[in-house]
Amino acid sequence: MSTPPDAQRMEKIVSLCKRRGFIFQSSEIYGGLNGAWDYGPLGVELKRNLKNYWWQVTVHERDDVVGMDGSILTHPAVLQASGHVEGFSDPMIDCRTCKAHLRSDQLVEKKGVKQCPNCGGKDLTAPRQFNLMFETHVGAAADESSIAYLRPETAQSIFVQFKNILEVSRKKLPFGIAQIGKAFRNEINPRNFTFRSREFEQMELEYFCRAEQGMELLEYWKEERLKFYENIGIPRSKLHVLTVPDDERAFYSKGTYDIEYDFPFGRQELEGVAYRTDYDLSQHQKKSGKPLEYFDEETKQRFVPHVVEPSAGVDRTVLALICEAYSEDQAPDEKGKMEARIVLRFHPRMAPVKCGVFPLLKNNPQLVAKAREIVALLRPHMTVFYDESGAIGRRYRRQDEIGTPFGVTVDFETLGEKDAALRDTVTLRDRDSMKQERVSIHDLAGILQTRIG
Ligand code: ATP
């Protein structure tokens, strides 16, 4: 059972994202561009942490995967061969009453009659196919000969560069090529905040193998990807694996899983893991006339490899991280009275700022100097935020709201004024438990690095 949609929670999350600088509407001062989003100072850090961690576990920690970074502008022949020019479309229906353009799966059905979800209108056009690709022109001539597309997925440049990368990396099957980058789809109805955007980022791995390994590797990568989400703080209990039924899978796929997450607006896809067989490489080989085969030196066989593709969305995962982290609880104020607190419980690995550093008083030069020293000590290892303004409880609260897992306070004990044994120690506060412990400045970077993971 998926949890019921929680519109109020989603509204609070969207408002926090703007208020604290995670995500802004694109071109906001001109009324906004639908389906496009800008990430602010904290959003960009969160996004980078996610992409860096994906790259670390998918590329750097493995012997069998290399990376690439392909161009966004794509030759039309690539997307003709892949089938996107012909078939990358959604069925679109217009409501004649309120003029809304709708994806046909968005219609609501009441007493067996299809209705517009916005106005309830029943006067609807017949469905027609709407291609989701953004077309542009390269160079000065704006005619048929200059058409190019903004890529609708990062995968195709991997297939097109397969032979070059195979040659330079000298990898043996099975091996993968990974890429993180922008993709563009002219979605009929962008919605649910960043969930369905027209410009978004993907993290894709094409893992090439022999035909007989395909189904086994599909299972392997599904499990690897589930572990990944757990390692960034999305619990297994909120993830669901949907086996895409035969009649809904792409015709060339022998097996596809959707990894779904319980968003506040319902259970929705985070990532697809698909066994795409040898379809893409075979198509490109056929249409380009260039061999894209693999030569097995042991068996002396030449064949087109098969591929398993875990394809994740950066923006969707960022949104899932924020939704998962958002919580409200009670914390004591300056006088010990309990007050409501908003806290983003990010996994420390994902948190945009890892540690807040606070001198107890801003007008005490010794406290300030010590706090600045600690900032300089930690900065080579992690993102740090220095804050000297306002009561200490307020400063903690500001960091809680952006998900900073650790707070370090420099007080008079640090200066050795009360007890010489406490000189050069600080209080280290944990965001979630709000517990404070006394640690030596000398050990601080090591302790924090271990806890960040
Ligand atoms: P959906 O069914 O939600 O349209 P899809 O099945 O078409 O998604 P894929 O083509 O499998 O998506 O793309 C892989 C991943 O790219 C998705 O799981 C998602 O995380 C991300 N993605 C796809 N379309 C969008 C979009 N419009 N906005 C944000 N992320 C997207």
Side-chain angles (χ1 to χ4, degrees):
M1 268 290 289
S2 64
T3 42
D6 186 344
Q8 214 189 4
R9 181 178 169 83
M10 201 55 214
E11 266 170 40
K12 289 182 187 171
I13 289 170
V14 173
S15 136
L16 174 71
C17 281
K18 177 168 181 193
R19 180 157 41 86
R20 297 311 310 268
F22 282 92
I23 301 169
F24 305 119
Q25 197 183 12
S26 172
S27 313
E28 190 189 78
I29 61 168
Y30 291 102
L33 180 65
N34 202 5
W37 300 93
D38 293 340
Y39 288 76
L42 293 174
V44 69
E45 296 296 337
L46 179 59
K47 214 178 183 196
R48 265 173 200 241
N49 290 342
L50 171 65
K51 291 192 282 184
N52 289 346
Y53 185 61
W54 186 90
W55 197 260
Q56 180 193 321
V57 300
T58 313
V59 183
H60 291 174
E61 289 180 5
R62 300 185 66 106
D63 280 331
D64 57 352
V65 177
V66 292
M68 74 165 279
D69 186 22
S71 74
I72 286 169
L73 289 173
T74 306
H75 195 298
V78 171
L79 296 159
Q80 270 149 12
S82 66
H84 285 86
V85 172
E86 185 66 28
F88 193 59
S89 52
D90 275 343
M92 180 165 87
I93 287 171
D94 296 336
C95 169
R96 291 200 184 91
T97 313
C98 72
K99 313 282 180 241
H101 304 299
L102 303 160
R103 244 166 57 155
S104 59
D105 63 356
Q106 289 178 273
L107 296 180
V108 289
E109 199 166 321
K110 284 201 182 132
K111 294 188 188 141
V113 183
K114 296 237 159 86
Q115 296 187 356
C116 169
N118 301 337
C119 72
K122 298 184 193 84
D123 189 6
L124 307 166
T125 63
R128 61 189 186 285
Q129 289 303 317
F130 174 75
N131 194 298
L132 300 180
M133 284 202 297
F134 281 98
E135 196 180 286
T136 188
H137 291 275
V138 170
D143 58 21
E144 278 287 299
S145 69
S146 64
I147 289 178
Y149 295 98
L150 305 189
R151 63 181 177 190
E153 59 178 26
T154 66
Q156 292 307 321
S157 54
I158 299 182
F159 297 129
V160 172
Q161 292 298 351
F162 169 76
K163 197 76 183 181
N164 279 334
I165 295 178
L166 176 66
E167 272 164 24
V168 297
S169 65
R170 296 167 50 238
K171 293 282 174 208
K172 301 265 175 289
L173 287 182
F175 79 95
I177 304 174
Q179 178 167 208
I180 298 179
K182 291 262 185 175
F184 301 81
R185 296 182 188 178
N186 196 2
E187 299 281 359
I188 297 169
N189 256 191
R191 65 185 179 283
N192 289 329
F193 199 22
T194 56
F195 178 82
R196 188 173 298 288
S197 309
R198 289 186 168 131
E199 173 174 345
F200 56 95
E201 259 179 301
Q202 292 184 313
M203 304 182 281
E204 293 195 302
L205 168 67
E206 303 304 323
Y207 197 76
F208 299 98
C209 62
R210 292 178 170 78
E212 59 274 21
Q213 298 170 301
M215 290 311 277
E216 198 183 311
L217 284 167
L218 176 68
E219 295 305 313
Y220 168 81
W221 279 108
K222 176 199 52 161
E223 291 304 320
E224 284 298 297
R225 298 303 305 144
L226 288 168
K227 270 189 246 161
F228 175 86
Y229 289 110
E230 287 186 82
N231 286 339
I232 59 172
I234 300 183
R236 187 66 183 81
S237 60
K238 294 278 205 65
L239 296 168
H240 306 277
V241 179
L242 174 85
T243 306
V244 179
D246 292 356
D247 56 338
E248 288 176 29
R249 264 195 333 254
F251 69 89
Y252 49 78
S253 169
K254 281 205 177 149
T256 302
Y257 292 117
D258 282 351
I259 299 179
E260 300 181 318
Y261 170 72
D262 286 325
F263 286 95
F265 44 83
R267 185 174 294 177
Q268 298 279 353
E269 175 182 330
L270 266 187
E271 163 159 2
V273 185
Y275 171 25
R276 295 172 75 127
T277 65
D278 60 353
Y279 171 76
D280 301 273
L281 286 182
S282 297
Q283 278 295 103
H284 288 302
Q285 173 165 279
K286 197 159 89 194
K287 301 285 179 182
S288 69
K290 305 277 180 344
L292 296 178
E293 289 162 323
Y294 175 86
F295 179 65
D296 187 326
E297 294 187 6
E298 277 163 36
T299 63
K300 306 291 175 211
Q301 281 175 315
R302 205 175 281 281
F303 58 93
V304 175
H306 282 225
V307 74
V308 172
E309 173 200 75
S311 169
V314 175
D315 308 76
R316 283 188 189 179
T317 310
V318 164
L319 185 58
L321 287 171
I322 296 174
C323 292
E324 189 58 37
Y326 184 90
S327 64
E328 295 170 10
D329 66 3
Q330 298 275 316
D333 70 5
E334 296 307 304
K335 300 188 183 85
K337 204 173 119 237
M338 295 307 268
E339 61 174 8
R341 149 175 111 136
I342 292 175
V343 50
L344 289 181
R345 298 186 196 278
F346 287 128
H347 188 293
R349 189 177 273 142
M350 291 294 113
V353 179
K354 309 296 185 204
C355 185
V357 178
F358 321 111
L360 190 61
L361 299 173
K362 73 169 171 194
N363 52 9
N364 180 306
Q366 279 174 292
L367 290 175
V368 168
K370 206 68 189 168
R372 290 274 185 204
E373 238 175 68
I374 293 172
V375 169
L377 189 81
L378 297 180
R379 265 212 177 126
H381 310 286
M382 65 194 74
T383 45
V384 179
F385 189 85
Y386 173 81
D387 188 3
E388 57 178 26
S389 67
I392 196 78
R394 289 270 142 248
R395 285 183 258 168
Y396 285 152
R397 214 64 81 243
R398 284 200 287 265
Q399 293 305 309
D400 290 343
E401 213 185 37
I402 62 166
T404 307
F406 307 108
V408 164
T409 304
V410 175
D411 53 21
F412 291 104
E413 270 102 339
T414 315
L415 304 179
E417 287 189 6
K418 294 196 173 152
D419 176 353
L422 292 179
R423 178 183 291 281
D424 284 335
T425 64
V426 288
T427 58
L428 175 59
R429 173 185 181 268
D430 179 88
R431 172 197 69 203
D432 296 338
S433 67
M434 293 185 270
K435 291 220 173 75
Q436 304 200 5
E437 60 190 305
R438 199 87 208 161
V439 304
S440 115
I441 293 173
H442 178 260
D443 300 335
L444 196 56
I447 294 174
L448 292 179
Q449 276 176 294
T450 313
R451 293 187 192 173
I452 291 164

